[in-house]
Amino acid sequence: MKTTEALLAMLKQYDVKYVFGLPGETTLGLYHAWEKFEGITHLMARDERHAVFMADGYARLSGKPGVCEGPSVGATHMIPGVVEALKSCVPLIVLTSDVPLHSEKHNMLTAFAQTALFENMTKETLTATKGDEVPFLVQRAFRVATTGCPGPVHLRLPMDVLEEEISISLPPAQKAFSTYPGTRPAADQGSIAEALQALASCERGVMICGQGVLASRAWNEVAETAEYFGLAVGTTINGKGSIAENHPLSLGVTGSRGSSAFSNSFLEEADLVFFVGNSTDSVGTDGGTLPGAGSDARFVHLNLNERDLGNAYGNGVLLHGDVKSTLQALLETARQNRLVPSCDMRPVVAKRRGAFTEKKRGGNVPEGMLDPLQAVEAITTAMPPDAVIVADPGMSAVYPAAFWKVPEAGRRFVTNYAMGALGYGLPAALGASFALPEETTVLN
């Protein structure tokens, strides 16, 4: 069996259905093997950058790592998508073919230091120096991409290595890492007990959910936690969909992108803020001003990424773990101890939402200008309830983030606001469409 065949067979073991990419001279050996291989569909991209964006959109909607590939000549074009995936915590398997091993110093066409380029843009970059290594490296790539904070892993495949005959039997896939999260560690019980005390005693509690909720597929646990403790729930722009936005405790998007005076006012007045799957970055906190200076709010921060845990608000309770498993443990402990929370934000949310809606509808729009609210409402009326919006960053993402209300929890709104490179929307929408039932509407 050639290395090319072993690579495809390993990808199939990990339930890979689609690979996004395009051919080049260094990839021809892989494509020749692909002609005879069944079970993995190759989807042609316009260029290498779009291939990564397509894989990104697929990964966000499918719950599986996105797989993309490109030849050495276009490997540099993949970087915008790879950096976005790293900052957005999206698991990708990024395959690049390369010139023959050790030939880069001989001025071979398209040769450059691929490893040096990718090592600061990925969770890990791997190079196959012989065919027998490839099955092991595929295992490692999926394991690293889907565990801890998800992200992209790069696998460099020299064209001479791809042509080798391998001398080993293929190992079985580690199936847990064919989807993400690959593992679900929960926060320790001591931290959970401390968090419960803070949550049960607050009176103006707000939960702010980031994209970690969507990556963990923990929207049911978010709703249960909010209802149990009576917390108002806002989201970052990338966390939109963490709770259905017609829920009586939903505030919509908070921060500086896609937010409103209504949603941010709850953060300004909170006596406790529970950050969930949230990096507390500059957009979500409006440059660190929410909650504002002088706030007496206490903080609880649940996050899987240890680098972001307590990074902005370190004087609180820190819960290091997967969102879904940790919220499950938190709720179980609360129910066992029959905790009676002091907070109920439902009436406050309902009263303010009504006043804000009336004020918003009373705004004046200059003649000849399109009212963004009316435009989004018209689009919403025409869209099926299970539709997905994929938007480029900028106002094309801000207006639907602010005015389109996600009818059901889940990843139904996708934008690349971690880095914000233009040109993301269309290829990501195409990738997303392959992760969804054929009849689902994807709007770009």
Side-chain angles (χ1 to χ4, degrees):
M1 178 185 292
K2 278 189 175 183
T3 304
T4 51
E5 298 168 313
L7 172 63
L8 293 168
M10 288 300 298
L11 293 178
K12 188 173 182 178
Q13 281 199 64
Y14 277 91
D15 301 323
V16 173
K17 304 296 182 187
Y18 304 103
V19 175
F20 305 91
L22 67 164
E25 186 174 344
T26 56
T27 329
L28 292 179
L30 176 60
Y31 277 75
H32 288 320
W34 219 327
E35 287 181 321
K36 305 170 187 175
F37 191 88
E38 296 182 355
I40 300 177
T41 300
H42 179 272
L43 296 169
M44 184 79 75
R46 181 171 181 265
D47 58 32
E48 294 84 359
R49 181 182 64 134
H50 286 83
V52 187
F53 284 155
M54 290 169 78
D56 178 299
Y58 177 82
R60 296 193 199 215
L61 272 299
S62 68
K64 301 167 63 175
V67 183
C68 54
E69 60 85 21
S72 61
V73 65
T76 57
H77 290 197
M78 304 176 86
I79 292 302
V82 174
V83 175
E84 178 64 44
L86 180 68
K87 300 292 284 187
S88 291
C89 304
V90 175
L92 298 182
I93 309 298
V94 181
L95 307 173
T96 62
S97 56
D98 201 359
V99 298
L101 202 62
H102 308 306
S103 66
E104 59 269 18
K105 297 294 190 290
H106 295 275
N107 295 334
M108 187 164 184
L109 184 66
T110 78
F112 72 98
Q114 283 194 19
T115 297
L117 178 69
F118 282 93
E119 64 184 354
N120 290 322
M121 314 293 185
T122 58
K123 289 187 72 177
E124 188 170 22
T125 178
L126 307 165
T127 296
T129 59
K130 56 183 179 180
D132 284 356
E133 287 184 324
V134 169
F136 165 77
L137 294 178
V138 171
Q139 285 184 322
R140 184 176 179 89
F142 276 88
R143 189 169 63 250
V144 172
T146 60
T147 55
C149 183
V153 174
H154 170 235
L155 176 54
R156 173 187 166 218
L157 299 160
M159 59 190 296
D160 56 334
V161 174
L162 285 173
E163 292 296 328
E164 288 180 9
E165 293 285 335
I166 70 169
S167 61
I168 61 170
S169 300
L170 294 185
Q174 297 169 317
K175 286 289 191 179
F177 310 120
S178 61
T179 59
Y180 68 97
T183 57
R184 292 189 178 274
D188 66 273
Q189 281 297 321
S191 299
I192 287 174
E194 192 177 354
L196 285 174
Q197 185 179 14
L199 292 167
S201 61
C202 71
E203 296 182 351
R204 303 184 308 279
V206 180
M207 181 188 300
I208 305 296
C209 298
Q211 60 190 351
V213 170
L214 301 175
S216 183
R217 309 179 84 79
W219 41 84
N220 291 336
E221 287 74 15
V222 163
E224 288 181 42
T225 302
E227 291 161 4
Y228 187 97
F229 292 99
L231 306 173
V233 182
T235 76
T236 64
I237 188 170
N238 284 330
K240 186 177 174 75
S242 296
I243 190 169
E245 290 179 319
N246 55 13
H247 191 286
L249 286 166
S250 172
L251 304 177
V253 174
T254 58
S256 61
R257 298 289 189 277
S259 61
S260 65
F262 161 74
S263 60
N264 285 343
S265 68
F266 286 85
L267 265 173
E268 292 164 355
E269 301 170 9
D271 65 350
L272 179 136
V273 181
F274 186 11
F275 293 109
V276 180
N278 184 334
S279 66
T280 62
D281 65 4
S282 61
V283 170
T285 64
D286 195 7
T289 64
L290 290 173
S295 170
D296 62 353
R298 300 177 64 190
F299 299 100
V300 179
H301 192 184
L302 165 56
N303 210 39
L304 185 58
N305 188 343
E306 70 282 355
R307 290 169 292 184
D308 292 330
L309 186 64
N311 192 50
Y313 304 97
N315 58 334
V317 182
L318 304 182
L319 299 169
H320 185 209
D322 170 69
V323 173
K324 190 180 188 75
S325 61
T326 299
L327 289 183
Q328 287 174 343
L330 187 146
L331 286 165
E332 182 180 354
T333 304
R335 289 163 179 155
Q336 287 176 348
N337 294 336
R338 293 184 171 85
L339 283 182
V340 180
S342 303
C343 183
D344 184 5
M345 297 296 290
R346 292 173 183 84
V348 184
V349 173
K351 182 178 179 179
R352 288 195 191 177
R353 180 185 286 121
F356 178 72
T357 301
E358 288 303 313
K359 180 180 179 181
K360 185 171 59 175
R361 291 188 181 283
N364 295 319
V365 178
E367 186 177 352
M369 300 292 288
L370 180 67
D371 184 341
L373 173 59
Q374 292 181 354
V376 173
E377 286 183 342
I379 293 170
T380 301
T381 302
M383 286 169 54
D386 63 346
V388 172
I389 290 179
V390 183
D392 262 327
M395 300 313 293
S396 58
V398 167
Y399 281 132
F403 298 139
W404 178 54
K405 300 306 176 188
V406 176
E408 297 179 6
R411 181 99 70 175
R412 301 183 183 279
F413 176 78
V414 175
T415 186
N416 58 323
Y417 245 117
M419 287 297 293
L422 295 176
Y424 172 87
L426 179 58
L430 291 171
S433 69
F434 286 96
L436 297 166
E438 188 175 343
E439 64 275 11
T440 303
T441 296
V442 179
L443 180 65
N444 171 240

